[in-house]
Amino acid sequence: MIDLQSILQDIYTEATKTQDKGVVASYIPELANVDINKFGVHLRTCEGTEYGIGDYNEKFSIQSISKVLALTKAISFKGNEVWARVDVEPSGNPFNFLSLLELENGIPRNPLINAGALVISDILISHFENPKEDFINFIRALTLDDSINYNEQVAHSEKITGYRNYAAANLLKSFNNLHNEVEDVLDFYFHQCSIEMNCSQLSKAFYLFANKGKCLQNKTHITESQTKRINALMLTCGFYDEAGEFAFTVGLPGKSGVGGGIVALLPNKFIITTWSPGLNKKGNSKLGMLALEQFTTKTELSIF
Ligand code: DON
C-alpha cells in the first residue's frame, strides 16, 4: 500500500526548497499580485479519499484550466459537430500564437489554445440562455460548491490588456468561425478564465474525466468515448509547446493555467491538482511540473 500523504509531504518539502520558482504571469496585470511562495497539492482518489498539503485550500485564478470544462460542456450538447470548427492536433506553439490560425483558414489547431477556446466560448454563448450564469452553475454542480465564482477584477484586467485575444477573435470572425459578436465572445472567455478555485475544488471538478464522464453526483455529462477524447486532448495539447515534455516527464493527461494551477489525472484512479504561481518560459507552473514529475516517478502511477 502506497502512503500517498507521506509522498506528497516529501514532494512538498523538496519542491519548496527550490530557489528558482519561475516568474508570476504579469501580462494580465491583476495576476502579478499573487505571492510566488504559494504552493499547494491536492489528490483525490476515485473512491473519494483526499490528501492535501500546503495551500491546497486557497483559491487562485484557474485561467486556461477552464478550457477543458468549457469544452466538456460544448461536447455534451454539440457532440462531434464541435470538430468541424476546431481541430484536435497539438500546435507545438504558445497558447496565444496567431500565425497558424491565418495559415489554416481560421480553424484553430485544438480547443485548448486560446483561439480554439474562443470558438468553444462562441458555441457556449449560442447555446446558453444566460451564458456566464449557466457556465458557473455547471462548475458549481461539478464541485458541489456554490462558493465558486468569477473574479471581476481579473476579467477586467485581462480585457484591457487582451490585445492578442482580440486579434485571435477578430481573425476567427473574419473566417466566419465566430457566430456571435467579438466583444461578447471575449467577455465570456475572459470571465471563464477568471474563475477562482482551490486545488481541492479542481480535483472534484475533474473527477468526471477519471470517472468515464460521470460527476460526483453520478450524473453522466459526456460519454465514455467523449471522456477518452478529452483526456487525449489534455495529454497532447494541455501544455501547449510543452505537451511533449509533460507526457515525457509526468505521463498523465492534464491542463495548466497561467494562474499557476495544473490538474492531472489517471483514469479510474485519481485526480491531482497543484498550484504554484511561478511559471516557466512556456507559461506552465514550474514547481507544479516538478511536483507532478516527482509524484509519478515515486508512485509509478501514470498512463504508461
Ligand atoms: O487568454 C489568456 O491569455 C489567459 N486568460 C489564459 C492563458 C493560459 O492560462 C495559458 N495556460 N497556461
Side-chain angles (χ1 to χ4, degrees), residues 27-28 63-64 95 114 158 165 189 193 240 256-258 283-284:
Y27 77 102
I28 302 173
Q63 292 295 322
S64 287
F95 55 85
N114 288 8
E158 184 162 9
N165 283 322
Y189 172 78
C193 290
Y240 313 107
S256 61
V258 290
N284 299 313

Side-chain angles (χ1 to χ4, degrees), residues 280-299:
N280 64 20
K281 290 200 168 62
K282 305 278 170 87
N284 299 313
S285 168
K286 190 151 196 269
L287 292 198
M289 297 264 297
L290 220 73
L292 290 167
E293 175 183 5
Q294 282 297 305
F295 180 79
T296 55
T297 304
K298 284 180 197 287
T299 59

Side-chain angles (χ1 to χ4, degrees), residues 135-150:
F135 186 66
I136 203 76
N137 283 338
F138 165 60
I139 294 183
R140 289 172 180 165
L142 286 182
T143 48
L144 311 171
D145 193 332
D146 285 345
S147 75
I148 294 170
N149 226 327
Y150 300 109

Side-chain angles (χ1 to χ4, degrees), residues 227-243:
T227 309
K228 177 196 76 181
R229 289 176 174 187
I230 293 175
N231 283 334
L233 282 168
M234 281 197 260
L235 185 77
T236 54
C237 312
F239 296 80
Y240 313 107
D241 43 341
E242 206 169 32

Side-chain angles (χ1 to χ4, degrees), residues 29-267:
E30 198 69 22
L31 294 184
N33 304 327
V34 180
D35 177 0
I36 193 157
N37 294 310
K38 295 288 178 188
F39 182 44
V41 185
H42 179 270
L43 183 142
R44 183 183 178 94
T45 68
C46 284
E47 286 80 44
T49 313
E50 297 185 67
Y51 306 87
I53 188 108
D55 302 308
Y56 70 94
N57 267 325
E58 191 164 324
K59 287 189 181 178
F60 57 92
S61 196
I62 69 168
Q63 292 295 322
S64 287
I65 296 172
S66 66
K67 291 171 179 167
V68 183
L69 301 168
L71 173 66
T72 301
K73 194 70 208 169
I75 287 180
S76 76
F77 57 78
K78 278 274 178 221
N80 285 338
E81 277 178 49
V82 168
W83 312 123
R85 295 180 57 189
V86 54
D87 208 344
V88 295
E89 292 298 335
S91 71
N93 281 299
F95 55 85
N96 55 7
F97 192 69
L98 292 171
S99 309
L100 276 180
L101 190 59
E102 168 87 325
L103 281 174
E104 296 176 354
N105 302 315
I107 302 293
R109 271 288 169 108
N110 66 68
L112 302 181
I113 54 171
N114 288 8
L118 288 166
V119 171
I120 300 299
S121 295
D122 186 56
I123 292 174
L124 293 184
I125 53 182
S126 295
H127 173 82
F128 283 137
E129 204 157 313
N130 301 299
K132 285 188 265 187
E133 197 182 323
D134 294 347
F135 186 66
I136 203 76
N137 283 338
F138 165 60
I139 294 183
R140 289 172 180 165
L142 286 182
T143 48
L144 311 171
D145 193 332
D146 285 345
S147 75
I148 294 170
N149 226 327
Y150 300 109
N151 179 322
E152 292 294 340
Q153 276 109 308
V154 171
H156 179 71
S157 180
E158 184 162 9
K159 183 187 162 100
I160 57 177
T161 54
Y163 307 111
R164 296 189 75 86
N165 283 322
Y166 272 91
N170 279 294
L171 206 48
L172 287 165
K173 188 79 181 165
S174 78
F175 282 108
N176 293 321
N177 203 4
L178 286 190
H179 301 164
N180 296 280
E181 294 306 321
V182 162
E183 279 297 337
D184 295 340
V185 174
L186 286 168
D187 181 62
F188 181 86
Y189 172 78
F190 293 144
H191 275 84
Q192 76 162 61
C193 290
S194 83
I195 291 173
E196 293 189 324
M197 291 168 79
N198 61 35
C199 294
S200 138
Q201 291 165 332
L202 277 166
S203 296
K204 282 186 183 165
F206 274 59
Y207 172 64
L208 84 165
F209 305 115
N211 189 42
K212 303 183 171 79
K214 287 189 184 143
C215 71
L216 287 170
Q217 295 185 85
N218 213 30
K219 177 177 169 194
T220 302
H221 291 268
I222 43 173
T223 65
E224 270 192 63
S225 162
Q226 289 169 333
T227 309
K228 177 196 76 181
R229 289 176 174 187
I230 293 175
N231 283 334
L233 282 168
M234 281 197 260
L235 185 77
T236 54
C237 312
F239 296 80
Y240 313 107
D241 43 341
E242 206 169 32
E245 180 79 14
F246 193 79
F248 186 77
T249 55
V250 179
L252 295 172
K255 185 72 203 86
S256 61
V258 290
I262 299 180
V263 191
L265 62 111
L266 182 59

